[in-house]
């Protein structure tokens, strides 16, 4: 984690240095907005107490909206907004202590994630092609959790780091097409109240979600 933080800081300093050396140009449009269709693909894993096993979280397609502000023609900040619902279950859990199978999948219901993400970006301009790279921070809010086979389930909201790369293709001065990829380092502490299955049974879990988000969309400058 220290290496990730150090890398992020160095990237920001590098971008800041480039920005400081650029000439001011007030003719460019400072705002743009994109609407994307995004495939959210978790790279999930978990350490589950009491019953062991691993975790499975399904993929999902969602709409995503982002707003970008350009300080110069190359340096920008982007705020990414979207929400997604995922189904969750354990894989290969040992339920013999409560009269179940030695290897079973346990339905943990579903949960909604709201992960606003802010990234600092550097944009390269090659005629109609405008590739960019970015890095930033994410804060994920878990809400409307349904507990499945358990009595109750709770997820801790969590911060994570985000890394981004993409390409804008200009259709004209105002409209453009976009392809974008983001990888978010995200983990959360989960507590499962399984007292309906065995008196007093509480199952803690450290869950890594680490989603890859691949999106396609259209944007507008203004």
């Amino acid at each position: 984690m220290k290496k990730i933080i150090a890398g992020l800081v160095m990237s920001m300093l590098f971008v800041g240095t480039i920005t400081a050396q650029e000439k001011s140009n007030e003719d460019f449009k400072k705002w743009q907005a994109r609407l994307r269709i995004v495939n959210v693909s978790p790279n999930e894993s978990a350490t589950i107490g009491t019953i062991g096993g691993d975790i499975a979280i399904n993929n999902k397609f969602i709409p995503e909206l982002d707003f970008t502000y350009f300080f110069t023609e190359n340096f920008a900040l982007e705020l990414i907004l979207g929400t997604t619902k995922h189904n969750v279950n354990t894989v290969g859990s040992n339920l013999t202590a409560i009269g179940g199978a030695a290897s079973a999948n346990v339905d943990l219901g579903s949960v909604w994630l709201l992960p606003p993400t802010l990234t600092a970006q550097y944009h390269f301009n090659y005629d109609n092609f405008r590739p960019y790279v970015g890095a930033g921070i994410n804060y994920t809010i878990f809400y409307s959790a349904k507990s499945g086979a358990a009595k109750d389930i709770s997820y801790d909201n969590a911060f994570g780091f985000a890394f981004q790369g993409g390409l804008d293709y200009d259709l004209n001065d105002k409209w453009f097409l976009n392809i974008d990829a983001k990888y978010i380092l995200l983990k959360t502490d989960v507590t499962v109240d399984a007292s309906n299955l065995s008196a007093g049974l509480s199952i803690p879990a450290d869950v890594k979600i680490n989603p890859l988000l691949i999106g396609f969309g259209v944007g507008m400058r203004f």
Side-chain angles (χ1 to χ4, degrees), residues 1-12 135-137 159-163 183-187 208 210:
M1 182 61 72
K2 291 181 179 179
K3 291 182 179 180
I4 294 172
I5 294 173
L8 180 58
V9 171
M10 292 301 293
S11 298
M12 294 288 288
I137 195 165
F159 282 98
F161 292 105
F163 302 91
Y183 190 75
I184 299 176
L185 298 175
L186 175 64
K187 64 179 181 178
K208 293 181 180 179
N210 295 346

Side-chain angles (χ1 to χ4, degrees), residues 36-41 61 179-182 212-216:
R36 303 185 183 106
I37 296 296
V38 175
N39 178 49
V40 183
S41 179
F61 281 96
I179 179 172
D180 181 88
K182 290 181 289 292
L212 174 65
L213 295 84
I214 304 293
F216 302 89

Side-chain angles (χ1 to χ4, degrees), residues 107-176:
D107 177 18
L108 295 181
S110 62
V111 64
W112 283 86
L113 282 71
L114 178 63
T117 303
L118 182 67
T119 60
Q121 300 174 329
Y122 190 83
H123 293 249
F124 305 87
N125 298 321
Y126 303 110
D127 295 326
N128 291 341
F129 292 91
R130 300 175 185 267
Y132 58 88
V133 293
I137 195 165
N138 158 271
Y139 184 70
T140 296
I141 300 167
F142 297 85
Y143 68 99
S144 297
K146 295 184 178 179
S147 55
K151 180 179 179 180
D152 194 19
I153 187 168
S154 64
Y155 298 81
D156 289 349
N157 298 340
F159 282 98
F161 292 105
F163 302 91
Q164 181 182 31
L167 172 68
D168 294 327
Y169 176 75
D170 292 347
L171 299 175
N172 51 46
D173 289 341
K174 184 175 183 180
W175 296 96
F176 59 93

Side-chain angles (χ1 to χ4, degrees), residues 20-72:
Q21 295 174 349
E22 292 177 348
K23 294 182 179 179
S24 175
N25 184 345
E26 297 299 329
D27 294 334
F28 64 92
K29 292 182 172 65
K30 293 188 176 183
W31 286 96
Q32 69 182 31
R34 301 186 191 90
L35 181 62
R36 303 185 183 106
I37 296 296
V38 175
N39 178 49
V40 183
S41 179
N43 182 29
E44 69 273 37
S45 63
T47 300
I48 303 174
T50 312
I51 62 173
D54 208 340
I55 201 79
I57 304 172
N58 71 314
N59 295 357
K60 197 79 173 188
F61 281 96
I62 64 166
E64 180 187 88
L65 179 65
D66 73 71
F67 296 95
T68 306
Y69 179 79
F70 284 80
F71 295 94
T72 74

